[in-house]
Amino acid sequence: MSATSDPMNADRPNTGSQVPAANPTVQQNPAAQSQKPGWVEHQAQRLTNLMHSVRLRLSLWFGLVLAVIMLLFSGFVYYRQAQDVRDTAITRLLYRQRDLYSAMMAAGREAGENRWPYYSSEFTFELDEHEVLLISDSQGELSGVWGEINETQAEEIALQVEALPIDHDKVRAVSVQVNNGPAYLFLPTPIYYENRLLGWMVLGQPTDPQNQLPRLSFTLALGGAFTLLIALAGGFWLADRALWPVKAITRTAREIGETDLSQRLNIHTRDELGELAGTFDNMLNRLEAAFNRQRQFTADASHELRTPLTIIGLETSRALKSARSSEEYRRVLNVVQSENEFMTRLVGELLMLARMDAGQVKLKREPFDLSDLALEVIERYAPLAADKGVRLEAGDLPELPIQGDRQYLSQMIGNLVDNAIKYSASGGARVIVETTQVQNSVACLRVIDNGPGIPAEHLPHLFDRFYRVDSARSHNPDESAGEQAIPGSGLGLSIVQWIARMHGGSVVVESEVGKGTTFTVLLA
Ligand code: ADP
């Protein structure tokens, strides 16, 4: 099958080699300029195909889901880390504040009881770098500020602290961005004297002195973006790999011509796509078999018709060559008549098989007695049997009511009786037709002859169309006009089998060379 140059076929591996620009001689040719838009269109088409591809959609969905998961995860990690940083800052502040508070109280005691504020001009807080300390009275009025903070902001913080509810079980802290810079955590401690709130000592330190949170956000963002990128690329690759059977199916379907159904996918993976490919292959098997059957049927039919036509042609041209005796003309006319009969019968059978294949045959089911019908057929064929010297007898024919198409069943029995007479015609030949009831619902009809029998190797093919045990004998121009001719198309038993099957039944053949043949039809 030659490769197609269809630009729509973006998935075909060989399309790359068809790009005209790859050929240097084409590039030199001015006419090649007209190829350029074709290439551009081809690439645009590939892009459009990719945009609409399941692979891309799958990987985008996958990426989106992963992005949401990673966002939630990063948010959770960041939140936990921020809490840890804040807790550490509070612990640090608590220790530091206890020291400063003790130092302040000690200084106050030294300076004398009931002195407020405790820090006098002779007392100084020894603060670390970046530490901020505020002392305010119980009204939130600022009394002193230490550290790098402007007055206004210090006042705001003092007021915020004053507004905080006093809860001895909980640590209350205020988070403020100092001087538009880093975030500070301010921890207030109430200053009591004889159970009286004198004011507040508020210590502030940078919440995250080691910049852990910005570094964490950077790591999460970078890691997230990187992971997402890898996941998208990996997802696309995986989707591409997982969907390659679909591509193979598409390609094969494209490559299957009207007359060549031999292509197969041969994808034997155990997943859903493997199952799809298997179903596709099975469908192709059935199509190919049906197609071959049809081709064979047509070839056989034309072959069968050509033989009698050739015979008629030969006989008539031989007779017309010179003047013949009236006996000779009679012989030729007999041949023509016999071949005409053969062709009429063949065309009738072909027509019937064609209608059967097309599903155009509708059975007219009616109740009747199968034994009655068998007797009718025997009577119809009695003259022929007598003519051939065959004893056609009715065997056991008990009453056997069945439901079926009388006309088709009559033809079925007729074909079997006709064959039995035809193939066993000789002195002492005997054909018996009998019926029996097997079980309650199965009617059985037998056509028994004591003819030459059929060799075992032919039995499996007997019901095939155009199959004849001795095809040479069935059509001999010299014999066809004589007594020995056994014209047969090889279609009779196919029709018998079809009629039996249409009635939910089957036909079996038993035969022994030299002893005879029995055809048994079972009807449900
Ligand atoms: P045909 O039109 O040639 O008779 P059939 O399909 O009816 O075609 O039969 C197929 C072949 O089976 C025949 O060619 C014949 O050789 C063989 N056959 C059928 N019935 C008998 C029989 N009763 N005895 C011997 N051979 C038979």
Side-chain angles (χ1 to χ4, degrees):
M1 203 32 53
S2 66
T4 162
S5 59
D6 180 6
M8 300 287 283
N9 190 358
D11 298 330
R12 302 282 299 277
N14 56 354
T15 47
S17 62
Q18 292 161 6
V19 178
N23 185 342
T25 56
V26 174
Q27 273 180 328
Q28 284 158 17
N29 187 348
Q33 297 305 315
S34 61
Q35 301 279 342
K36 189 91 177 164
W39 184 83
V40 173
E41 273 168 26
H42 175 64
Q43 297 305 323
Q45 188 61 53
R46 284 188 68 160
L47 192 69
T48 317
N49 285 355
L50 181 70
M51 297 300 281
H52 290 95
S53 71
V54 176
R55 300 171 282 167
L56 189 75
R57 264 184 285 161
L58 266 181
S59 11
L60 285 181
W61 274 110
F62 172 63
L64 186 75
V65 171
L66 191 73
V68 170
I69 292 173
M70 278 181 27
L71 220 66
L72 289 174
F73 175 74
S74 303
F76 177 71
V77 168
Y78 187 88
Y79 172 75
R80 288 305 303 258
Q81 186 67 16
Q83 269 195 337
D84 275 1
V85 165
R86 190 185 154 93
D87 289 350
T88 315
I90 286 175
T91 317
R92 219 173 35 236
L93 275 170
L94 281 171
Y95 278 111
R96 182 78 182 120
Q97 203 169 46
R98 198 186 55 193
D99 292 349
L100 290 173
Y101 190 86
S102 311
M104 184 180 73
M105 293 302 271
R109 269 196 298 277
E110 253 176 47
E113 296 285 314
N114 276 334
R115 174 138 179 214
W116 175 254
Y118 293 103
Y119 57 90
S120 58
S121 49
E122 57 267 25
F123 176 74
T124 48
F125 289 102
E126 284 178 16
L127 296 181
D128 292 341
E129 198 191 356
H130 301 310
E131 267 184 345
V132 172
L133 184 73
L134 315 173
I135 302 279
S136 62
D137 65 16
S138 58
Q139 304 307 307
E141 194 71 34
L142 214 55
S143 321
V145 179
W146 291 263
E148 289 172 15
I149 188 165
N150 66 47
E151 198 86 5
T152 336
Q153 202 170 15
E155 278 169 8
E156 276 172 20
I157 295 168
L159 284 173
Q160 273 188 47
V161 165
E162 198 272 331
L164 281 178
I166 298 170
D167 187 341
H168 295 288
D169 298 330
K170 277 189 189 159
V171 177
R172 295 275 166 173
V174 181
S175 188
V176 178
Q177 214 181 351
V178 171
N179 301 333
N180 291 327
Y184 269 61
L185 201 64
F186 287 90
L187 193 73
T189 307
I191 306 166
Y192 287 102
Y193 181 73
E194 290 179 348
N195 290 334
R196 192 161 60 89
L197 180 70
L198 296 181
W200 296 90
M201 176 191 208
V202 185
L203 180 65
Q205 280 184 348
T207 318
D208 183 13
Q210 277 141 14
N211 284 330
Q212 286 183 50
L213 291 178
R215 273 191 286 136
L216 179 70
S217 341
F218 179 73
T219 311
L220 285 176
L222 197 74
F226 195 61
T227 312
L228 206 64
L229 216 68
I230 291 179
L232 274 176
F236 186 78
W237 180 76
L238 271 178
D240 193 50
R241 249 184 78 91
L243 290 174
W244 78 263
V246 175
K247 277 202 243 169
I249 293 173
T250 314
R251 196 164 52 236
T252 310
R254 241 183 232 146
E255 282 173 5
I256 291 170
E258 266 176 39
T259 49
D260 179 23
L261 292 168
S262 62
Q263 306 262 359
R264 293 292 177 278
L265 295 171
N266 288 326
I267 297 167
H268 302 294
T269 51
R270 287 183 171 209
D271 51 15
E272 294 83 346
L273 290 175
E275 200 177 325
L276 174 68
T279 313
F280 190 77
D281 277 352
N282 284 340
M283 185 192 75
L284 285 178
N285 285 343
R286 288 197 302 275
L287 277 179
E288 191 182 20
F291 188 76
N292 285 343
R293 264 203 312 275
Q294 197 156 1
R295 193 158 41 187
Q296 187 66 38
F297 183 71
T298 316
D300 287 343
S302 22
H303 177 78
E304 289 300 322
L305 282 170
R306 208 173 50 195
T307 314
L309 287 172
T310 312
I311 293 169
I312 292 175
L314 281 173
E315 288 290 336
T316 46
S317 56
R318 201 164 61 184
L320 288 172
K321 251 186 193 156
S322 53
R324 308 273 171 186
S325 63
S326 58
E327 284 78 40
E328 181 61 10
Y329 285 130
R330 181 175 288 279
R331 192 194 68 79
V332 171
L333 283 175
N334 267 334
V335 171
V336 173
Q337 189 189 29
S338 152
E339 293 306 323
N340 180 48
E341 275 168 13
F342 173 76
M343 283 194 292
T344 309
R345 190 177 148 197
L346 179 65
V347 169
E349 285 175 341
L350 284 175
L351 208 65
M352 184 165 180
L353 280 169
R355 286 176 57 218
M356 286 170 177
D357 287 345
Q360 286 174 356
V361 176
K362 292 268 172 297
L363 296 185
K364 280 189 224 119
R365 287 178 182 274
E366 53 181 325
F368 64 91
D369 182 0
L370 183 67
S371 299
D372 254 7
L373 188 68
L375 213 57
E376 249 177 48
V377 176
I378 292 169
E379 279 164 13
R380 202 168 72 230
Y381 278 89
L384 179 74
D387 189 44
K388 304 261 179 191
V390 176
R391 266 165 55 210
L392 177 59
E393 292 172 7
D396 220 5
L397 290 175
E399 199 179 328
L400 204 53
I402 60 156
Q403 278 269 353
D405 188 306
R406 205 180 160 95
Q407 199 185 332
Y408 278 111
L409 286 174
S410 165
Q411 182 176 356
M412 181 189 79
I413 304 169
N415 279 8
L416 292 174
V417 171
D418 185 48
N419 274 353
I421 296 171
K422 202 161 64 181
Y423 294 109
S424 57
S426 66
R430 188 169 167 227
V431 174
I432 302 169
V433 181
E434 62 176 34
T435 57
T436 41
Q437 177 117 36
V438 189
Q439 296 160 358
N440 276 347
S441 57
V442 181
C444 170
L445 175 129
R446 275 196 202 90
V447 178
I448 308 157
D449 68 58
N450 61 353
I454 304 164
E457 69 267 23
H458 294 289
L459 294 179
H461 311 287
L462 218 57
F463 297 97
D464 293 352
R465 289 176 186 185
F466 297 106
Y467 190 84
R468 288 186 305 240
V469 172
D470 187 358
S471 50
R473 207 161 66 100
S474 63
H475 221 118
N476 186 321
D478 291 329
E479 287 178 350
S480 56
E483 290 294 305
Q484 296 307 308
I486 308 175
S489 58
L491 292 175
L493 288 179
S494 325
I495 293 173
V496 166
Q497 190 180 50
W498 185 87
I499 296 173
R501 282 188 180 162
M502 283 299 279
H503 284 83
S506 59
V507 201
V508 280
V509 56
E510 293 155 274
S511 188
E512 209 176 315
V513 177
K515 287 205 171 159
T517 308
T518 302
F519 282 92
T520 308
V521 181
L522 292 168
L523 296 176

